[in-house]
Amino acid sequence: DAGVTQSPTHLIKTRGQQVTLRCSPKSGHDTVSWYQQALGQGPQFIFQYYEEEERQRGNFPDRFSGHQFPNYSSELNVNALLLGDSALYLCASSRDLSYFEQYFGPGTRLTVT
Amino acid sequence: GIQVEQSPPDLILQEGANSTLRCNFSDSVNNLQWFHQNPWGQLINLFYIPSGTKQNGRLSATTVATERYSLLYISSSQTTDSGVYFCAVLNSGGSNYKLTFGKGTLLTVNP
């Protein structure tokens, strides 16, 4: 039973560039959430996708956008990268109704220089 | 929004010692999870425990939802238990689907 997978593992970008991160949910899961974790902090909720629509959004600017595909996989896009976007980006999946247990992928570590 | 406070922020133990980590939350919850974050950043699920008590080997957890706290017990600690432990909750009511995390407890187990 494959768990949550994310790609790439690491990424280095330059300020002002755009980046796309990818996530495949755990088998049987249809809901995907994205979190940003800065160094020394707990993960912060970015948004959640269900049925290919953004269902809830955290306190992040419009530079952060996403997409969910019919196979439930998801992408996180960040435009006009800032140095402060450097962080670990975590994807979590669950069955619908997110009070079910959420499972996290290994994360993508983004460095903006 | 809901507030999650974890204590202590840091904990240093000798191998074999027992420990208790605490998570306080400010509102009612539908979901409470404990995670262990390994040095590579992976969040490992320890417990899904919105209420009651669960045990898994040397680890156990108790959530008293009416008093808005949860405890994670680690017995006979091992060096591999080192890392950051997070409590995360999902606030009940309304259209809320996000997990809110505490700041974590950094556990160091020395040989």
Side-chain angles (χ1 to χ4, degrees), chain A residues 4-6 23-26 29-35 45 47-49 72 74 89-94 98 101-105, chain B residues 33 35 43 45 99 101:
Chain A
V4 181
T5 61
Q6 292 186 243
C23 170
S24 290
K26 183 178 170 66
H29 287 183
D30 55 10
T31 302
V32 173
S33 302
W34 288 91
Y35 293 80
F45 176 79
F47 42 53
Q48 184 182 88
Y49 277 84
Y72 309 121
S74 177
Y89 288 85
L90 295 163
C91 169
S93 75
S94 63
S98 295
E101 189 170 5
Q102 297 196 24
Y103 293 81
F104 283 78
Chain B
Q33 293 184 239
F35 297 94
L43 284 170
N45 288 43
L99 281 177
F101 283 75

PDB file of all heavy atoms in Angstrom, chain A residues 4-6 23-26 29-35 45 47-49 72 74 89-94 98 101-105, chain B residues 33 35 43 45 99 101:
ATOM      1  N   VAL A   4       1.826   8.435   0.883  1.00  0.00           N
ATOM      2  CA  VAL A   4       1.824   9.705   0.174  1.00  0.00           C
ATOM      3  C   VAL A   4       3.215   9.939  -0.414  1.00  0.00           C
ATOM      4  O   VAL A   4       4.222   9.773   0.281  1.00  0.00           O
ATOM      5  CB  VAL A   4       1.461  10.857   1.133  1.00  0.00           C
ATOM      6  CG1 VAL A   4       1.431  12.177   0.375  1.00  0.00           C
ATOM      7  CG2 VAL A   4       0.131  10.584   1.820  1.00  0.00           C
ATOM      8  N   THR A   5       3.251  10.299  -1.684  1.00  0.00           N
ATOM      9  CA  THR A   5       4.535  10.586  -2.323  1.00  0.00           C
ATOM     10  C   THR A   5       4.572  12.031  -2.793  1.00  0.00           C
ATOM     11  O   THR A   5       3.529  12.607  -3.166  1.00  0.00           O
ATOM     12  CB  THR A   5       4.805   9.640  -3.500  1.00  0.00           C
ATOM     13  OG1 THR A   5       3.777   9.809  -4.475  1.00  0.00           O
ATOM     14  CG2 THR A   5       4.823   8.189  -3.048  1.00  0.00           C
ATOM     15  N   GLN A   6       5.766  12.603  -2.774  1.00  0.00           N
ATOM     16  CA  GLN A   6       5.958  13.978  -3.213  1.00  0.00           C
ATOM     17  C   GLN A   6       7.197  14.068  -4.082  1.00  0.00           C
ATOM     18  O   GLN A   6       8.160  13.334  -3.891  1.00  0.00           O
ATOM     19  CB  GLN A   6       6.134  14.918  -2.012  1.00  0.00           C
ATOM     20  CG  GLN A   6       4.895  15.086  -1.165  1.00  0.00           C
ATOM     21  CD  GLN A   6       5.077  16.135  -0.086  1.00  0.00           C
ATOM     22  OE1 GLN A   6       5.014  15.844   1.101  1.00  0.00           O
ATOM     23  NE2 GLN A   6       5.300  17.384  -0.509  1.00  0.00           N
ATOM     24  N   CYS A  23       2.211  15.993  -5.643  1.00  0.00           N
ATOM     25  CA  CYS A  23       1.837  15.093  -4.549  1.00  0.00           C
ATOM     26  C   CYS A  23       0.871  14.033  -5.069  1.00  0.00           C
ATOM     27  O   CYS A  23      -0.083  14.350  -5.784  1.00  0.00           O
ATOM     28  CB  CYS A  23       1.176  15.897  -3.434  1.00  0.00           C
ATOM     29  SG  CYS A  23       0.414  14.910  -2.131  1.00  0.00           S
ATOM     30  N   SER A  24       1.126  12.789  -4.688  1.00  0.00           N
ATOM     31  CA  SER A  24       0.174  11.706  -4.958  1.00  0.00           C
ATOM     32  C   SER A  24      -0.331  11.178  -3.628  1.00  0.00           C
ATOM     33  O   SER A  24       0.481  10.822  -2.761  1.00  0.00           O
ATOM     34  CB  SER A  24       0.845  10.577  -5.744  1.00  0.00           C
ATOM     35  OG  SER A  24       1.128  10.992  -7.049  1.00  0.00           O
ATOM     36  N   PRO A  25      -1.637  11.120  -3.438  1.00  0.00           N
ATOM     37  CA  PRO A  25      -2.173  10.719  -2.137  1.00  0.00           C
ATOM     38  C   PRO A  25      -2.025   9.227  -1.880  1.00  0.00           C
ATOM     39  O   PRO A  25      -1.752   8.440  -2.790  1.00  0.00           O
ATOM     40  CB  PRO A  25      -3.646  11.110  -2.234  1.00  0.00           C
ATOM     41  CG  PRO A  25      -3.957  11.033  -3.692  1.00  0.00           C
ATOM     42  CD  PRO A  25      -2.704  11.445  -4.394  1.00  0.00           C
ATOM     43  N   LYS A  26      -2.201   8.862  -0.638  1.00  0.00           N
ATOM     44  CA  LYS A  26      -2.233   7.458  -0.235  1.00  0.00           C
ATOM     45  C   LYS A  26      -3.401   6.776  -0.935  1.00  0.00           C
ATOM     46  O   LYS A  26      -4.435   7.389  -1.179  1.00  0.00           O
ATOM     47  CB  LYS A  26      -2.397   7.405   1.281  1.00  0.00           C
ATOM     48  CG  LYS A  26      -2.393   6.043   1.933  1.00  0.00           C
ATOM     49  CD  LYS A  26      -2.513   6.218   3.449  1.00  0.00           C
ATOM     50  CE  LYS A  26      -2.769   4.894   4.158  1.00  0.00           C
ATOM     51  NZ  LYS A  26      -1.629   3.974   4.060  1.00  0.00           N
ATOM     52  N   HIS A  29      -7.403   7.445  -0.712  1.00  0.00           N
ATOM     53  CA  HIS A  29      -7.662   8.802  -0.230  1.00  0.00           C
ATOM     54  C   HIS A  29      -8.027   9.710  -1.394  1.00  0.00           C
ATOM     55  O   HIS A  29      -7.501   9.573  -2.495  1.00  0.00           O
ATOM     56  CB  HIS A  29      -6.431   9.364   0.476  1.00  0.00           C
ATOM     57  CG  HIS A  29      -6.177   8.753   1.815  1.00  0.00           C
ATOM     58  ND1 HIS A  29      -5.154   9.175   2.633  1.00  0.00           N
ATOM     59  CD2 HIS A  29      -6.812   7.756   2.483  1.00  0.00           C
ATOM     60  CE1 HIS A  29      -5.173   8.462   3.745  1.00  0.00           C
ATOM     61  NE2 HIS A  29      -6.159   7.597   3.676  1.00  0.00           N
ATOM     62  N   ASP A  30      -8.936  10.674  -1.125  1.00  0.00           N
ATOM     63  CA  ASP A  30      -9.386  11.560  -2.181  1.00  0.00           C
ATOM     64  C   ASP A  30      -9.210  13.034  -1.841  1.00  0.00           C
ATOM     65  O   ASP A  30      -9.553  13.898  -2.644  1.00  0.00           O
ATOM     66  CB  ASP A  30     -10.858  11.289  -2.510  1.00  0.00           C
ATOM     67  CG  ASP A  30     -11.752  11.389  -1.274  1.00  0.00           C
ATOM     68  OD1 ASP A  30     -11.282  11.856  -0.210  1.00  0.00           O
ATOM     69  OD2 ASP A  30     -12.928  10.978  -1.369  1.00  0.00           O
ATOM     70  N   THR A  31      -8.664  13.324  -0.680  1.00  0.00           N
ATOM     71  CA  THR A  31      -8.515  14.702  -0.213  1.00  0.00           C
ATOM     72  C   THR A  31      -7.046  14.994   0.018  1.00  0.00           C
ATOM     73  O   THR A  31      -6.349  14.195   0.651  1.00  0.00           O
ATOM     74  CB  THR A  31      -9.305  14.900   1.100  1.00  0.00           C
ATOM     75  OG1 THR A  31     -10.675  14.573   0.877  1.00  0.00           O
ATOM     76  CG2 THR A  31      -9.195  16.339   1.579  1.00  0.00           C
ATOM     77  N   VAL A  32      -6.588  16.119  -0.505  1.00  0.00           N
ATOM     78  CA  VAL A  32      -5.181  16.495  -0.391  1.00  0.00           C
ATOM     79  C   VAL A  32      -5.067  17.880   0.229  1.00  0.00           C
ATOM     80  O   VAL A  32      -5.764  18.813  -0.182  1.00  0.00           O
ATOM     81  CB  VAL A  32      -4.485  16.492  -1.766  1.00  0.00           C
ATOM     82  CG1 VAL A  32      -3.065  17.040  -1.646  1.00  0.00           C
ATOM     83  CG2 VAL A  32      -4.453  15.087  -2.344  1.00  0.00           C
ATOM     84  N   SER A  33      -4.198  18.002   1.211  1.00  0.00           N
ATOM     85  CA  SER A  33      -3.912  19.292   1.847  1.00  0.00           C
ATOM     86  C   SER A  33      -2.427  19.597   1.707  1.00  0.00           C
ATOM     87  O   SER A  33      -1.605  18.684   1.698  1.00  0.00           O
ATOM     88  CB  SER A  33      -4.275  19.253   3.336  1.00  0.00           C
ATOM     89  OG  SER A  33      -5.629  18.918   3.528  1.00  0.00           O
ATOM     90  N   TRP A  34      -2.112  20.875   1.641  1.00  0.00           N
ATOM     91  CA  TRP A  34      -0.721  21.325   1.565  1.00  0.00           C
ATOM     92  C   TRP A  34      -0.391  22.178   2.783  1.00  0.00           C
ATOM     93  O   TRP A  34      -1.209  22.987   3.230  1.00  0.00           O
ATOM     94  CB  TRP A  34      -0.482  22.147   0.301  1.00  0.00           C
ATOM     95  CG  TRP A  34      -0.467  21.351  -0.956  1.00  0.00           C
ATOM     96  CD1 TRP A  34      -1.531  21.073  -1.772  1.00  0.00           C
ATOM     97  CD2 TRP A  34       0.676  20.723  -1.556  1.00  0.00           C
ATOM     98  NE1 TRP A  34      -1.108  20.314  -2.844  1.00  0.00           N
ATOM     99  CE2 TRP A  34       0.236  20.089  -2.733  1.00  0.00           C
ATOM    100  CE3 TRP A  34       2.029  20.640  -1.217  1.00  0.00           C
ATOM    101  CZ2 TRP A  34       1.100  19.385  -3.576  1.00  0.00           C
ATOM    102  CZ3 TRP A  34       2.880  19.942  -2.048  1.00  0.00           C
ATOM    103  CH2 TRP A  34       2.420  19.320  -3.215  1.00  0.00           C
ATOM    104  N   TYR A  35       0.831  21.985   3.298  1.00  0.00           N
ATOM    105  CA  TYR A  35       1.304  22.719   4.468  1.00  0.00           C
ATOM    106  C   TYR A  35       2.708  23.243   4.180  1.00  0.00           C
ATOM    107  O   TYR A  35       3.488  22.607   3.472  1.00  0.00           O
ATOM    108  CB  TYR A  35       1.356  21.819   5.705  1.00  0.00           C
ATOM    109  CG  TYR A  35       0.004  21.357   6.208  1.00  0.00           C
ATOM    110  CD1 TYR A  35      -0.667  20.303   5.597  1.00  0.00           C
ATOM    111  CD2 TYR A  35      -0.600  21.975   7.293  1.00  0.00           C
ATOM    112  CE1 TYR A  35      -1.908  19.884   6.041  1.00  0.00           C
ATOM    113  CE2 TYR A  35      -1.845  21.553   7.763  1.00  0.00           C
ATOM    114  CZ  TYR A  35      -2.488  20.512   7.125  1.00  0.00           C
ATOM    115  OH  TYR A  35      -3.721  20.107   7.585  1.00  0.00           O
ATOM    116  N   PHE A  45      -1.094  25.468   7.483  1.00  0.00           N
ATOM    117  CA  PHE A  45      -2.011  25.049   6.433  1.00  0.00           C
ATOM    118  C   PHE A  45      -2.038  26.067   5.296  1.00  0.00           C
ATOM    119  O   PHE A  45      -2.223  27.267   5.536  1.00  0.00           O
ATOM    120  CB  PHE A  45      -3.402  24.898   7.047  1.00  0.00           C
ATOM    121  CG  PHE A  45      -4.496  24.561   6.084  1.00  0.00           C
ATOM    122  CD1 PHE A  45      -4.664  23.261   5.626  1.00  0.00           C
ATOM    123  CD2 PHE A  45      -5.386  25.529   5.651  1.00  0.00           C
ATOM    124  CE1 PHE A  45      -5.689  22.940   4.758  1.00  0.00           C
ATOM    125  CE2 PHE A  45      -6.425  25.222   4.800  1.00  0.00           C
ATOM    126  CZ  PHE A  45      -6.573  23.928   4.347  1.00  0.00           C
ATOM    127  N   PHE A  47      -3.704  25.149   1.805  1.00  0.00           N
ATOM    128  CA  PHE A  47      -5.052  24.908   1.294  1.00  0.00           C
ATOM    129  C   PHE A  47      -5.329  23.430   1.196  1.00  0.00           C
ATOM    130  O   PHE A  47      -4.430  22.597   1.354  1.00  0.00           O
ATOM    131  CB  PHE A  47      -5.320  25.598  -0.052  1.00  0.00           C
ATOM    132  CG  PHE A  47      -4.217  25.532  -1.061  1.00  0.00           C
ATOM    133  CD1 PHE A  47      -3.619  24.337  -1.443  1.00  0.00           C
ATOM    134  CD2 PHE A  47      -3.782  26.689  -1.671  1.00  0.00           C
ATOM    135  CE1 PHE A  47      -2.617  24.297  -2.381  1.00  0.00           C
ATOM    136  CE2 PHE A  47      -2.775  26.676  -2.625  1.00  0.00           C
ATOM    137  CZ  PHE A  47      -2.191  25.477  -2.982  1.00  0.00           C
ATOM    138  N   GLN A  48      -6.611  23.110   0.924  1.00  0.00           N
ATOM    139  CA  GLN A  48      -7.042  21.731   0.779  1.00  0.00           C
ATOM    140  C   GLN A  48      -7.866  21.589  -0.499  1.00  0.00           C
ATOM    141  O   GLN A  48      -8.665  22.473  -0.834  1.00  0.00           O
ATOM    142  CB  GLN A  48      -7.897  21.280   1.957  1.00  0.00           C
ATOM    143  CG  GLN A  48      -8.293  19.801   1.890  1.00  0.00           C
ATOM    144  CD  GLN A  48      -9.171  19.390   3.042  1.00  0.00           C
ATOM    145  OE1 GLN A  48     -10.390  19.495   2.993  1.00  0.00           O
ATOM    146  NE2 GLN A  48      -8.549  18.909   4.114  1.00  0.00           N
ATOM    147  N   TYR A  49      -7.663  20.465  -1.171  1.00  0.00           N
ATOM    148  CA  TYR A  49      -8.406  20.163  -2.391  1.00  0.00           C
ATOM    149  C   TYR A  49      -9.234  18.901  -2.212  1.00  0.00           C
ATOM    150  O   TYR A  49      -8.767  17.884  -1.665  1.00  0.00           O
ATOM    151  CB  TYR A  49      -7.451  20.000  -3.582  1.00  0.00           C
ATOM    152  CG  TYR A  49      -7.079  21.318  -4.171  1.00  0.00           C
ATOM    153  CD1 TYR A  49      -6.036  22.069  -3.628  1.00  0.00           C
ATOM    154  CD2 TYR A  49      -7.789  21.862  -5.236  1.00  0.00           C
ATOM    155  CE1 TYR A  49      -5.718  23.309  -4.145  1.00  0.00           C
ATOM    156  CE2 TYR A  49      -7.472  23.098  -5.766  1.00  0.00           C
ATOM    157  CZ  TYR A  49      -6.432  23.819  -5.205  1.00  0.00           C
ATOM    158  OH  TYR A  49      -6.116  25.046  -5.710  1.00  0.00           O
ATOM    159  N   TYR A  72      -6.857  12.287  -8.199  1.00  0.00           N
ATOM    160  CA  TYR A  72      -6.684  12.814  -6.843  1.00  0.00           C
ATOM    161  C   TYR A  72      -5.290  13.368  -6.558  1.00  0.00           C
ATOM    162  O   TYR A  72      -5.104  13.965  -5.495  1.00  0.00           O
ATOM    163  CB  TYR A  72      -7.035  11.773  -5.765  1.00  0.00           C
ATOM    164  CG  TYR A  72      -8.382  11.136  -5.964  1.00  0.00           C
ATOM    165  CD1 TYR A  72      -8.510   9.758  -6.117  1.00  0.00           C
ATOM    166  CD2 TYR A  72      -9.536  11.906  -6.014  1.00  0.00           C
ATOM    167  CE1 TYR A  72      -9.738   9.169  -6.315  1.00  0.00           C
ATOM    168  CE2 TYR A  72     -10.772  11.327  -6.209  1.00  0.00           C
ATOM    169  CZ  TYR A  72     -10.869   9.957  -6.363  1.00  0.00           C
ATOM    170  OH  TYR A  72     -12.094   9.375  -6.563  1.00  0.00           O
ATOM    171  N   SER A  74      -2.154  16.037  -6.812  1.00  0.00           N
ATOM    172  CA  SER A  74      -2.277  17.486  -6.669  1.00  0.00           C
ATOM    173  C   SER A  74      -0.957  18.179  -6.960  1.00  0.00           C
ATOM    174  O   SER A  74       0.123  17.580  -6.851  1.00  0.00           O
ATOM    175  CB  SER A  74      -2.732  17.819  -5.243  1.00  0.00           C
ATOM    176  OG  SER A  74      -2.801  19.221  -5.020  1.00  0.00           O
ATOM    177  N   TYR A  89       7.785  21.910   2.253  1.00  0.00           N
ATOM    178  CA  TYR A  89       6.389  21.866   1.842  1.00  0.00           C
ATOM    179  C   TYR A  89       5.892  20.426   1.963  1.00  0.00           C
ATOM    180  O   TYR A  89       6.436  19.512   1.345  1.00  0.00           O
ATOM    181  CB  TYR A  89       6.225  22.398   0.419  1.00  0.00           C
ATOM    182  CG  TYR A  89       6.422  23.885   0.389  1.00  0.00           C
ATOM    183  CD1 TYR A  89       7.703  24.437   0.291  1.00  0.00           C
ATOM    184  CD2 TYR A  89       5.343  24.755   0.516  1.00  0.00           C
ATOM    185  CE1 TYR A  89       7.889  25.808   0.308  1.00  0.00           C
ATOM    186  CE2 TYR A  89       5.520  26.129   0.527  1.00  0.00           C
ATOM    187  CZ  TYR A  89       6.799  26.651   0.429  1.00  0.00           C
ATOM    188  OH  TYR A  89       6.984  28.010   0.461  1.00  0.00           O
ATOM    189  N   LEU A  90       4.856  20.272   2.767  1.00  0.00           N
ATOM    190  CA  LEU A  90       4.326  18.951   3.086  1.00  0.00           C
ATOM    191  C   LEU A  90       2.941  18.775   2.489  1.00  0.00           C
ATOM    192  O   LEU A  90       2.103  19.677   2.544  1.00  0.00           O
ATOM    193  CB  LEU A  90       4.253  18.771   4.603  1.00  0.00           C
ATOM    194  CG  LEU A  90       5.584  18.773   5.342  1.00  0.00           C
ATOM    195  CD1 LEU A  90       5.380  19.009   6.821  1.00  0.00           C
ATOM    196  CD2 LEU A  90       6.316  17.468   5.112  1.00  0.00           C
ATOM    197  N   CYS A  91       2.709  17.613   1.950  1.00  0.00           N
ATOM    198  CA  CYS A  91       1.411  17.244   1.414  1.00  0.00           C
ATOM    199  C   CYS A  91       0.815  16.194   2.344  1.00  0.00           C
ATOM    200  O   CYS A  91       1.529  15.301   2.821  1.00  0.00           O
ATOM    201  CB  CYS A  91       1.584  16.693   0.003  1.00  0.00           C
ATOM    202  SG  CYS A  91       0.133  15.911  -0.692  1.00  0.00           S
ATOM    203  N   ALA A  92      -0.471  16.307   2.604  1.00  0.00           N
ATOM    204  CA  ALA A  92      -1.167  15.323   3.430  1.00  0.00           C
ATOM    205  C   ALA A  92      -2.400  14.832   2.696  1.00  0.00           C
ATOM    206  O   ALA A  92      -3.034  15.594   1.960  1.00  0.00           O
ATOM    207  CB  ALA A  92      -1.584  15.929   4.770  1.00  0.00           C
ATOM    208  N   SER A  93      -2.733  13.579   2.881  1.00  0.00           N
ATOM    209  CA  SER A  93      -3.953  13.070   2.269  1.00  0.00           C
ATOM    210  C   SER A  93      -4.830  12.396   3.320  1.00  0.00           C
ATOM    211  O   SER A  93      -4.356  11.981   4.386  1.00  0.00           O
ATOM    212  CB  SER A  93      -3.635  12.098   1.124  1.00  0.00           C
ATOM    213  OG  SER A  93      -3.199  10.830   1.602  1.00  0.00           O
ATOM    214  N   SER A  94      -6.108  12.323   2.995  1.00  0.00           N
ATOM    215  CA  SER A  94      -7.064  11.678   3.891  1.00  0.00           C
ATOM    216  C   SER A  94      -8.269  11.263   3.068  1.00  0.00           C
ATOM    217  O   SER A  94      -8.418  11.655   1.908  1.00  0.00           O
ATOM    218  CB  SER A  94      -7.495  12.618   5.015  1.00  0.00           C
ATOM    219  OG  SER A  94      -8.171  13.747   4.484  1.00  0.00           O
ATOM    220  N   SER A  98     -12.247  15.750   6.562  1.00  0.00           N
ATOM    221  CA  SER A  98     -10.867  15.705   7.042  1.00  0.00           C
ATOM    222  C   SER A  98     -10.717  15.410   8.509  1.00  0.00           C
ATOM    223  O   SER A  98      -9.613  15.433   9.022  1.00  0.00           O
ATOM    224  CB  SER A  98     -10.159  17.001   6.705  1.00  0.00           C
ATOM    225  OG  SER A  98     -10.056  17.124   5.319  1.00  0.00           O
ATOM    226  N   GLU A 101      -8.085  10.562   9.816  1.00  0.00           N
ATOM    227  CA  GLU A 101      -6.653  10.677  10.020  1.00  0.00           C
ATOM    228  C   GLU A 101      -5.965  11.154   8.746  1.00  0.00           C
ATOM    229  O   GLU A 101      -6.262  10.667   7.655  1.00  0.00           O
ATOM    230  CB  GLU A 101      -6.091   9.334  10.448  1.00  0.00           C
ATOM    231  CG  GLU A 101      -4.648   9.357  10.894  1.00  0.00           C
ATOM    232  CD  GLU A 101      -4.233   8.037  11.528  1.00  0.00           C
ATOM    233  OE1 GLU A 101      -5.050   7.085  11.532  1.00  0.00           O
ATOM    234  OE2 GLU A 101      -3.101   7.952  12.018  1.00  0.00           O
ATOM    235  N   GLN A 102      -5.056  12.102   8.902  1.00  0.00           N
ATOM    236  CA  GLN A 102      -4.291  12.613   7.772  1.00  0.00           C
ATOM    237  C   GLN A 102      -2.893  12.005   7.791  1.00  0.00           C
ATOM    238  O   GLN A 102      -2.281  11.853   8.842  1.00  0.00           O
ATOM    239  CB  GLN A 102      -4.212  14.139   7.821  1.00  0.00           C
ATOM    240  CG  GLN A 102      -5.585  14.794   7.689  1.00  0.00           C
ATOM    241  CD  GLN A 102      -5.530  16.263   7.350  1.00  0.00           C
ATOM    242  OE1 GLN A 102      -4.551  16.749   6.781  1.00  0.00           O
ATOM    243  NE2 GLN A 102      -6.583  16.981   7.685  1.00  0.00           N
ATOM    244  N   TYR A 103      -2.405  11.683   6.602  1.00  0.00           N
ATOM    245  CA  TYR A 103      -1.090  11.083   6.426  1.00  0.00           C
ATOM    246  C   TYR A 103      -0.244  12.007   5.569  1.00  0.00           C
ATOM    247  O   TYR A 103      -0.715  12.518   4.548  1.00  0.00           O
ATOM    248  CB  TYR A 103      -1.201   9.712   5.751  1.00  0.00           C
ATOM    249  CG  TYR A 103      -1.877   8.667   6.599  1.00  0.00           C
ATOM    250  CD1 TYR A 103      -3.256   8.588   6.687  1.00  0.00           C
ATOM    251  CD2 TYR A 103      -1.117   7.753   7.335  1.00  0.00           C
ATOM    252  CE1 TYR A 103      -3.869   7.641   7.478  1.00  0.00           C
ATOM    253  CE2 TYR A 103      -1.731   6.793   8.121  1.00  0.00           C
ATOM    254  CZ  TYR A 103      -3.107   6.748   8.187  1.00  0.00           C
ATOM    255  OH  TYR A 103      -3.720   5.805   8.983  1.00  0.00           O
ATOM    256  N   PHE A 104       1.005  12.178   5.982  1.00  0.00           N
ATOM    257  CA  PHE A 104       1.888  13.133   5.320  1.00  0.00           C
ATOM    258  C   PHE A 104       2.932  12.449   4.449  1.00  0.00           C
ATOM    259  O   PHE A 104       3.402  11.350   4.760  1.00  0.00           O
ATOM    260  CB  PHE A 104       2.594  14.001   6.365  1.00  0.00           C
ATOM    261  CG  PHE A 104       1.730  15.075   6.934  1.00  0.00           C
ATOM    262  CD1 PHE A 104       0.788  14.781   7.896  1.00  0.00           C
ATOM    263  CD2 PHE A 104       1.836  16.387   6.476  1.00  0.00           C
ATOM    264  CE1 PHE A 104      -0.040  15.771   8.413  1.00  0.00           C
ATOM    265  CE2 PHE A 104       1.017  17.383   6.989  1.00  0.00           C
ATOM    266  CZ  PHE A 104       0.079  17.073   7.959  1.00  0.00           C
ATOM    267  N   GLY A 105       3.288  13.149   3.378  1.00  0.00           N
ATOM    268  CA  GLY A 105       4.380  12.715   2.545  1.00  0.00           C
ATOM    269  C   GLY A 105       5.710  13.163   3.109  1.00  0.00           C
ATOM    270  O   GLY A 105       5.752  13.846   4.136  1.00  0.00           O
TER     271      GLY A 105
ATOM    272  N   GLN B  33      -4.165  14.492  16.373  1.00  0.00           N
ATOM    273  CA  GLN B  33      -3.128  13.554  15.976  1.00  0.00           C
ATOM    274  C   GLN B  33      -1.806  13.935  16.625  1.00  0.00           C
ATOM    275  O   GLN B  33      -1.500  15.124  16.779  1.00  0.00           O
ATOM    276  CB  GLN B  33      -2.964  13.538  14.449  1.00  0.00           C
ATOM    277  CG  GLN B  33      -4.164  12.979  13.702  1.00  0.00           C
ATOM    278  CD  GLN B  33      -3.943  12.877  12.203  1.00  0.00           C
ATOM    279  OE1 GLN B  33      -4.654  13.464  11.407  1.00  0.00           O
ATOM    280  NE2 GLN B  33      -2.943  12.099  11.806  1.00  0.00           N
ATOM    281  N   PHE B  35       2.311  13.363  16.025  1.00  0.00           N
ATOM    282  CA  PHE B  35       3.283  13.002  15.003  1.00  0.00           C
ATOM    283  C   PHE B  35       4.688  13.070  15.583  1.00  0.00           C
ATOM    284  O   PHE B  35       4.968  13.857  16.490  1.00  0.00           O
ATOM    285  CB  PHE B  35       3.236  13.995  13.827  1.00  0.00           C
ATOM    286  CG  PHE B  35       1.945  14.041  13.068  1.00  0.00           C
ATOM    287  CD1 PHE B  35       0.981  14.970  13.405  1.00  0.00           C
ATOM    288  CD2 PHE B  35       1.730  13.185  12.002  1.00  0.00           C
ATOM    289  CE1 PHE B  35      -0.212  15.034  12.695  1.00  0.00           C
ATOM    290  CE2 PHE B  35       0.538  13.249  11.292  1.00  0.00           C
ATOM    291  CZ  PHE B  35      -0.428  14.177  11.640  1.00  0.00           C
ATOM    292  N   LEU B  43       6.844  13.447   8.665  1.00  0.00           N
ATOM    293  CA  LEU B  43       5.937  13.370   9.808  1.00  0.00           C
ATOM    294  C   LEU B  43       5.386  11.948   9.888  1.00  0.00           C
ATOM    295  O   LEU B  43       4.679  11.502   8.982  1.00  0.00           O
ATOM    296  CB  LEU B  43       4.792  14.363   9.657  1.00  0.00           C
ATOM    297  CG  LEU B  43       5.115  15.829   9.939  1.00  0.00           C
ATOM    298  CD1 LEU B  43       3.964  16.717   9.506  1.00  0.00           C
ATOM    299  CD2 LEU B  43       5.421  16.040  11.409  1.00  0.00           C
ATOM    300  N   ASN B  45       2.973   9.267  11.632  1.00  0.00           N
ATOM    301  CA  ASN B  45       1.763   9.200  12.456  1.00  0.00           C
ATOM    302  C   ASN B  45       2.003   8.317  13.679  1.00  0.00           C
ATOM    303  O   ASN B  45       2.403   7.157  13.546  1.00  0.00           O
ATOM    304  CB  ASN B  45       0.608   8.621  11.645  1.00  0.00           C
ATOM    305  CG  ASN B  45       0.088   9.571  10.597  1.00  0.00           C
ATOM    306  OD1 ASN B  45       0.859  10.214   9.905  1.00  0.00           O
ATOM    307  ND2 ASN B  45      -1.215   9.644  10.470  1.00  0.00           N
ATOM    308  N   LEU B  99      -5.701  21.072   9.741  1.00  0.00           N
ATOM    309  CA  LEU B  99      -5.040  20.728  10.979  1.00  0.00           C
ATOM    310  C   LEU B  99      -4.247  21.944  11.469  1.00  0.00           C
ATOM    311  O   LEU B  99      -3.527  22.573  10.686  1.00  0.00           O
ATOM    312  CB  LEU B  99      -4.074  19.564  10.777  1.00  0.00           C
ATOM    313  CG  LEU B  99      -4.653  18.157  10.705  1.00  0.00           C
ATOM    314  CD1 LEU B  99      -3.543  17.153  10.420  1.00  0.00           C
ATOM    315  CD2 LEU B  99      -5.364  17.798  11.998  1.00  0.00           C
ATOM    316  N   PHE B 101      -1.325  22.973  14.055  1.00  0.00           N
ATOM    317  CA  PHE B 101      -0.233  22.329  14.779  1.00  0.00           C
ATOM    318  C   PHE B 101       0.240  23.197  15.939  1.00  0.00           C
ATOM    319  O   PHE B 101       0.210  24.436  15.875  1.00  0.00           O
ATOM    320  CB  PHE B 101       0.964  22.118  13.844  1.00  0.00           C
ATOM    321  CG  PHE B 101       0.816  20.964  12.899  1.00  0.00           C
ATOM    322  CD1 PHE B 101      -0.008  21.044  11.791  1.00  0.00           C
ATOM    323  CD2 PHE B 101       1.511  19.780  13.114  1.00  0.00           C
ATOM    324  CE1 PHE B 101      -0.151  19.981  10.913  1.00  0.00           C
ATOM    325  CE2 PHE B 101       1.390  18.704  12.244  1.00  0.00           C
ATOM    326  CZ  PHE B 101       0.558  18.813  11.152  1.00  0.00           C
TER     327      PHE B 101
END
